[in-house]
C-alpha cells in the first residue's frame, strides 16, 4: 500500500497510537508493537525530583531510534502553555520538530479550543515546528489550519476518551474532501469498526490511545486496530459498491435453475 | 544561598550553582530532560555556563506516556 506521508516523511502504518493509561511500560511496549504503529504520542511533564535515577523511562520501552515520537500538549488550556510545552519537547528530543498540538477548552469535555489552537499553531509554525493539529470536526477551522501550514489536521471523531466512535461522518467527509494535507481522526474511536469506518471515509490515518489501553486485553485490541485500519484503507481504495435499498440483481445466475 | 523554584517547589542552592550542578544535585543526571528557566528554554549546551539567580523559576520535564 502507498505510504502515509507527513511533512514529506513516509510511514507504512496509518495507525498512530498514544502511550498513556497502560498498566506499565512493558504493556505499553507490547501494545505499541502489536499495533504496528510507527508514530507514538508522548506527553511532557515535570520530572519527579528525588526519583530513582535508575527508574525505567518510556524512552527505554519505546526507543526514539525505532519510533517517531509525537510530543503532545495534552492538558494545555492556553496557546502559551502549549507553545512552552512543545519548545521543551523539542529540546528534550534533540530538535525534533514534528508535534501534536492540542489546546483544550475545558477539563470536563476536553473539547478543543479552536481559537487558542489557531494562535498556538501560528506561533509554532513560524518557529519552525511541523504541527499536526488536534481540532474539532469543523470544516472551516480545518481549512484554516491547513492554510496556515499545519502538516496534518486531526479532527475528533467524538470526545477524547469517550469511545463513542464517529458521531459526524458528514463533517469528516467534508474535511477529507477539501483538504490536501493528511486528515487523521484523533480521539473518540472505541473499537475496531470505528477505525475501519474512519479509514473507509478516506481518512489518511487514525490516532488513538484509550480504545487500546482501555480494552480488557490492550495488546489484542492493538492488533485488532492494526487490521481495522488496513481493512478500512483497502476498502476505501477498492471503492465500495453503491448502496441500494433493494435490487433484483442476485449474485447467483438466474438461468439454469432446476425444474425450469 | 539563593532561592529558586524548581517544578513549583522552593529549593536553595549555593551562589554560583550552574544548571548542570542543579541537575546533578537533584539526581537527574543521565535522565532525558529539558530545562526551562523563567519561561525560556536553556539548551543542554548551556547548562554548564548558565548560573542560577535569585528567584529563578525552573521547569524540568521528561517524556511520559500520553495520548
Amino acid at each position: 500500500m502507498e505510504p502515509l506521508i507527513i511533512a514529506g516523511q513516509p510511514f507504512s502504518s496509518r495507525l498512530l497510537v498514544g502511550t498513556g493509561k497502560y498498566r506499565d511500560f512493558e504493556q505499553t511496549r507490547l501494545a505499541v508493537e502489536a499495533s504496528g504503529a510507527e508514530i507514538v504520542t508522548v506527553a511532557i511533564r515535570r520530572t519527579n525530583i528525588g526519583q530513582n535515577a535508575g527508574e525505567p523511562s518510556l524512552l527505554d520501552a519505546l526507543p526514539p531510534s525505532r519510533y517517531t515520537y509525537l510530543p503532545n500538549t495534552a492538558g494545555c488550556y492556553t496557546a502559551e502553555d502549549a507553545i512552552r510545552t512543545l519548545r521543551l519537547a523539542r529540546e528534550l528530543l534533540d530538535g525534533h520538530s514534528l508535534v501534536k498540538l492540542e489546546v483544550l477548552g475545558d477539563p470536563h469535555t476536553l473539547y478543543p479550543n479552536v481559537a487558542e489552537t489557531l494562535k498556538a499553531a501560528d506561533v509554532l509554525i513560524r518557529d519552525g515546528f511541523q504541527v499536526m493539529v488536534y481540532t474539532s470536526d469543523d470544516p472551516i477551522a480545518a481549512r484554516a489550519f491547513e492554510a496556515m501550514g499545519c502538516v496534518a489536521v486531526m479532527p475528533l471523531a467524538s470526545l477524547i476518551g469517550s469511545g463513542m466512535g464517529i458521531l459526524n461522518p458528514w463533517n469528516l467527509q467534508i474535511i477529507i474532501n477539501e483538504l490536501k494535507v493528511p486528515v487523521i481522526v484523533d480521539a473518540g474511536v472505541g473499537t475496531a469498526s470505528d477505525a475501519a469506518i474512519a479509514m473507509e471515509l478516506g481518512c489518511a490515518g487514525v490516532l488513538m490511545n484509550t480504545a487500546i489501553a482501555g480494552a480488557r486485553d490492550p495488546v489484542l485490541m492493538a492488533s485488532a486496530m492494526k487490521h481495522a485500519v488496513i481493512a478500512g484503507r483497502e476498502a476505501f481504495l477498492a471503492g465500495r459498491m453503491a448502496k441500494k435499498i433493494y435490487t433484483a440483481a442476485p449474485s447467483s445466475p438466474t438461468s439454469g435453475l432446476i425444474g425450469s | 544561598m539563593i532561592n529558586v523554584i524548581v517544578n513549583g517547589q522552593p529549593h536553595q542552592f549555593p551562589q554560583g550553582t550552574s544548571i548542570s550542578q542543579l541537575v546533578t544535585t537533584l539526581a537527574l543526571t543521565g535522565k532525558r530532560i529539558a530545562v526551562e528557566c523563567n519561561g525560556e528554554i536553556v539548551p543542554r549546551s548551556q547548562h554548564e555556563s548558565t548560573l542560577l539567580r535569585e528567584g529563578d523559576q525552573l521547569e524540568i520535564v521528561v517524556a511520559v506516556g500520553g495520548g
Side-chain angles (χ1 to χ4, degrees):
Chain A
M1 260 198 305
E2 85 292 3
L4 164 64
I5 296 180
I6 299 174
Q9 205 185 334
F11 298 93
S12 56
S13 171
R14 290 175 178 270
L15 174 58
L16 295 73
V17 298
T19 56
K21 299 184 181 173
Y22 288 100
R23 192 178 57 219
D24 50 33
F25 287 141
E26 180 61 6
Q27 192 184 53
T28 313
R29 185 181 71 76
L30 292 171
V32 172
E33 245 168 46
S35 77
E38 296 159 289
I39 301 176
V40 297
T41 65
V42 296
I44 303 299
R45 290 291 180 273
R46 285 172 165 174
T47 184
N48 292 322
I49 307 287
Q51 198 182 37
N52 184 353
E55 204 174 58
S57 88
L58 182 67
L59 286 87
D60 300 323
L62 303 172
S65 54
R66 178 164 167 203
Y67 294 99
T68 297
Y69 269 46
L70 192 62
N72 71 23
T73 57
C76 291
Y77 291 89
T78 64
E80 193 202 337
D81 282 349
I83 293 162
R84 280 177 68 191
T85 299
L86 291 178
R87 284 180 175 153
L88 279 162
R90 182 166 62 180
E91 163 69 11
L92 185 74
L93 297 171
D94 302 323
H96 173 88
S97 63
L98 187 68
V99 296
K100 170 179 164 178
L101 170 66
E102 56 181 299
V103 185
L104 304 177
D106 72 59
H108 313 296
T109 65
L110 304 177
Y111 202 81
N113 180 332
V114 173
E116 283 294 302
T117 311
L118 282 162
K119 266 195 261 176
D122 182 49
V123 173
L124 289 165
I125 289 166
R126 282 191 279 115
D127 194 11
F129 284 91
Q130 294 175 314
V131 177
M132 300 174 69
V133 65
Y134 172 64
T135 182
S136 67
D137 61 3
D138 172 354
I140 308 304
R143 225 154 47 192
F145 285 118
E146 179 182 62
M148 67 200 301
C150 289
V151 298
V153 173
M154 307 200 291
L156 50 75
S158 48
L159 297 183
I160 292 174
S162 70
M164 294 290 284
I166 296 166
L167 299 187
N168 195 338
W170 311 110
N171 270 26
L172 286 180
Q173 191 70 74
I174 295 170
I175 294 171
I176 292 162
N177 291 350
E178 297 209 348
L179 267 56
K180 290 183 187 69
V181 295
V183 175
I184 295 171
V185 155
D186 181 359
V189 165
T191 188
S193 52
D194 297 332
I197 290 168
M199 296 307 293
E200 286 172 17
L201 286 171
C203 282
V206 182
L207 198 166
M208 64 181 74
N209 191 154
T210 314
I212 296 174
R216 192 178 63 236
D217 183 341
V219 179
L220 188 56
M221 185 58 90
S223 167
M225 291 301 186
K226 175 172 94 175
H227 294 298
V229 168
I230 292 170
R233 180 66 183 172
E234 289 186 348
F236 169 73
L237 293 174
R240 62 154 298 147
M241 63 166 283
K243 282 185 185 175
K244 288 169 254 180
I245 296 176
Y246 61 89
T247 168
S251 299
S252 304
T254 50
S255 63
L257 288 152
I258 58 164
S260 57
Chain B
M1 297 296 269
I2 51 171
N3 299 288
V4 300
I5 304 288
V6 183
N7 289 354
Q9 298 296 320
H11 287 263
Q12 280 199 328
F13 294 97
Q15 204 87 36
T17 300
S18 68
I19 302 269
S20 293
Q21 288 165 323
L22 168 139
V23 167
T24 307
T25 307
L26 297 178
L28 300 173
T29 313
K31 290 188 75 154
R32 187 89 160 233
I33 56 166
V35 180
E36 182 197 72
C37 183
N38 303 325
E40 299 290 332
I41 299 293
V42 185
R44 222 164 294 160
S45 59
Q46 293 172 24
H47 284 192
E48 224 157 297
S49 58
T50 306
L51 303 184
L52 298 179
R53 286 167 306 177
E54 179 69 26
D56 275 349
Q57 305 254 3
L58 294 123
E59 296 286 349
I60 305 179
V61 301
V62 291
V64 301

